[in-house]
Amino acid sequence: IVKGKGTLIYNDKIYYPKAGDLYILHRGSNCKYYPDENTTWQKYWINIDGIAVENILISYDLYDTVLFTDIHCEDLFAQMYKVAAENQSAEAVVNDISLLFFKLVLLLYKKLRYSPNEFNANAIKRMLDSNIYNSNFSLDEIAEILHISTSQVIRTFKDSYDFTPHQYLQSKRIKIAISLLLNTKKSIKEIAATLQFSDQYYFSKVFKRITGKSPLEFRLENQLVYRDLNNWNIKKPLSKS
């Protein structure tokens, strides 16, 4: 945003971007944005697609951050616009803009790296992700490593991701449970134990709350779909043209 300010509603969370800020809208997100009613805003924007884009943002811990404040990166966007307007081949345009996009990624990464609150949120996420199967893991360990209180751990993470650490871990574990239900013969009891739920009844309760179905119902219904798809692929291969 070069000038002005406004409102961004992204997946039901409200942000208030202003001049000097940058926001990223991911494919498939539910969002709308508009300028402040008392002013207008001026923005640069660019659409970038491809699997490499998501992988780069994930690798640099940028994928889960929507609003970057006080970035002042309009010069990079101006260069992208200039490259796009030049009379050169499409391949050359893509190559040049890709390099500028990577410079932007590095700029955003450095911003988060040296912003204590955002860095802590990303550090918390990494520690949660690496302890999905650890039954002895607690928020106290994160608090000790980051030298903040447990309540700060919860607040910092929720401010950035809209989930408490506990909700995030449960969601991740249910996603893994779905894969195990569909791709292994593990019993529901075994899956519950693998994912560190206290027992299969509590696991089933959480699973149904998140997916709307019990683990057994989910497995039976979706395995039939997977079986039919696999049989279709085997019996009816795509014809070669």
Side-chain angles (χ1 to χ4, degrees), residues 37 41 45 48 73 89 139 174 187 199 203:
E37 61 181 8
W41 60 8
W45 63 270
I48 302 181
C73 56
S89 69
L139 294 185
I174 293 303
S187 69
D199 55 57
F203 165 63

Side-chain angles (χ1 to χ4, degrees), residues 3 15-16 21 23 38 64 104 138 150 178 181 193 206 215 238:
K3 180 182 178 182
Y15 302 87
Y16 298 99
D21 295 351
Y23 58 80
N38 296 320
D64 293 310
L104 178 62
S138 72
T150 304
I178 288 173
L181 285 168
V206 174
L238 294 175

Side-chain angles (χ1 to χ4, degrees), residues 91-156:
E91 182 179 359
V93 170
V94 170
N95 288 339
D96 290 347
I97 289 182
S98 295
L99 290 174
L100 291 169
F101 171 69
F102 192 69
K103 286 184 179 181
L104 178 62
V105 168
L106 292 177
L107 178 65
L108 299 178
Y109 172 74
K110 289 178 181 178
K111 171 67 176 179
L112 289 192
R113 181 67 177 82
Y114 296 106
S115 174
N117 188 60
E118 292 292 350
F119 175 64
N120 284 347
N122 287 319
I124 293 167
K125 181 176 179 291
R126 284 195 295 272
M127 282 184 268
L128 292 173
D129 287 339
S130 63
N131 283 279
I132 288 174
Y133 302 100
N134 183 359
S135 60
N136 297 318
F137 176 71
S138 72
L139 294 185
D140 292 335
E141 294 180 41
I142 296 179
E144 184 176 351
I145 292 171
L146 296 179
H147 305 292
I148 58 179
S149 68
T150 304
S151 60
Q152 282 180 293
V153 170
I154 296 171
R155 183 171 62 252
T156 298

